[in-house]
Each structure stands twice: as C-alpha cells, then as structure tokens.
Amino acid sequence: MFVTEALAQSAAPSTGTTTETPAVGQTAPEATHTETGVAHDAGHGSGVFPPFDSSTYASQLLWLAISFGLFYVLMKKVIVPRVGGILEDRHGRIAQDLDEASRLKSEADAAIETYEKELAAARAKAGSIASAARDAAKAKADADRATVEAELAEKLSAAEARIASIKQQALADVGTIAEETATAVVDQLIGAKVKETDAKAAVAAVSDVKGA
C-alpha cells in the first residue's frame, strides 16, 4: 500500500499545487483553487447581498456607530470651527466694509456741505465785489460827469464872456461906423461938416429909439 501511494505521487503531474490523498478514516479536505490556493467558501453560493445579510447586522451597526462618531468628531473639531471661523471672518469683513462705507458717506456729506458753504460764500463775495465795483464805477462816472460839467460850465462862461466882449466891441464899432457914416452922409447932402458931438448924439438917439 505504501508502494502504491509513492508511485501515485511520483506519477502525478506537477501543476504548482499538491493534492493530498486522505488517509483511511479521514474526510477529504475542502477543494482549493488551483491558482490562488484559497479554499472555496460554501456560503458564497447563497446569493445574499452582504449589507442585507442578517448575520452581519451587528458588525454593520458597530461600524456605522464608529463611522458616525468619527464623522461627528471631525465635524465638531475641524469642519464646524473652520466654517464658523470663515463666517465670522466674513461677518467681520462685512461689518468693516459697512463701517468704511458709513465713514466715506459721512466724509462725502461733510465735503458736500463744505462745498455748498464755500460756494455760498463765494457767491456772496462775488455779489459784494460786483456791488462795490458798480458803486465805484457809478461814483467815478458821477465825478467824471461833474468834472466835465464844470469844464463845460467854465468854457460856457468864458464863451459867454467872450461873446459879450465881442458884442460890446461890435456895438462900439457899429456906433463909430454909424457916426462916421452919418457925418459923411450929411457932408454929402448939405456940403457942411457935422460936429462929432452932434453925430454921436444923433446915433445915440437912433439907438435909443431902436432899443425902445
């Protein structure tokens, strides 16, 4: 019998796996895969999806509790603080931006108010300058007009005086001419010389008659 087993082992082809012949009174071991050497599991042939297998519910619940606990710790220690920090930072930036916008609005309102005050002051100053210039121009025009009127009055007085002088001189010349003419006419008419006093008296009498 030992000789027969030895011959059988020597005659078996070498396939990378060994096949043991069970001894007398022993059961045959489970068949092993010829490539992986892993024994076939008889339970795989049941066709039940592992998560739905009632025999693994306890382990599934355990790993679910562990996973939930780890996720909760991760959320509490890492994710929630980071999200809270981001939200707080964003809230702080928004508050800072709102404060900055409020400050800029206050500065803009102050600048507009200052501009309006300066504009009103400039308008008032321009009005006062224009009024002062108008008054100065009016005063200068009045002074110039008074000067011109004074000069014209002086020239008119001088002209009137000159005219009066010329008129008086002309009247004097007219009297002399009239006396000479009267003397010549009398001399031509009667052939006698007329006295100068008589000629003056005759011219004066004629002038008095014309003046009357």
Side-chain angles (χ1 to χ4, degrees):
M1 184 175 183
F2 291 106
V3 175
T4 303
E5 292 178 359
L7 290 174
Q9 291 177 359
S10 61
S14 178
T15 60
T17 58
T18 59
T19 304
E20 294 182 357
T21 304
V24 178
Q26 295 180 353
T27 59
E30 294 181 355
T32 58
H33 198 277
T34 57
E35 294 182 358
T36 61
V38 180
H40 290 284
D41 189 2
H44 289 324
S46 63
V48 179
F49 189 58
F52 298 153
D53 192 358
S54 60
S55 62
T56 61
Y57 280 173
S59 62
Q60 291 181 23
L61 292 175
L62 177 62
W63 282 110
L64 178 62
I66 293 173
S67 301
F68 180 78
L70 292 175
F71 182 72
Y72 177 77
V73 172
L74 180 64
M75 288 286 293
K76 184 177 181 181
K77 300 294 184 181
V78 178
I79 297 176
V80 173
R82 286 188 179 180
V83 173
I86 292 172
L87 292 178
E88 187 68 23
D89 185 28
R90 184 168 296 178
H91 183 271
R93 289 183 179 178
I94 292 173
Q96 184 178 0
D97 292 339
L98 290 176
D99 293 338
E100 184 69 15
S102 179
R103 184 182 65 82
L104 293 176
K105 184 177 181 300
S106 300
E107 292 180 356
D109 292 339
I112 292 173
E113 185 178 0
T114 303
Y115 170 75
E116 290 179 351
K117 289 182 178 179
E118 291 180 353
L119 182 61
R123 287 177 177 175
K125 186 176 181 180
S128 63
I129 291 173
S131 179
R134 184 172 58 251
D135 294 339
K138 184 178 180 181
K140 187 175 183 301
D142 293 339
D144 292 340
R145 184 178 63 185
T147 302
V148 171
E149 288 178 354
E151 291 178 354
L152 290 176
E154 184 179 356
K155 290 181 179 179
L156 183 60
S157 299
E160 289 178 351
R162 186 177 178 183
I163 290 171
S165 177
I166 293 172
K167 183 178 179 181
Q168 185 178 1
Q169 183 68 32
L171 290 175
D173 292 340
V174 168
T176 303
I177 293 170
E179 291 175 0
E180 291 178 353
T181 303
T183 302
V185 169
V186 171
D187 187 22
Q188 291 291 332
L189 291 175
I190 62 176
K193 292 286 185 183
V194 179
K195 294 181 179 180
E196 185 176 355
T197 55
D198 294 337
K200 287 181 179 182
V203 171
V206 173
S207 298
D208 291 337
V209 172
K210 288 182 178 181

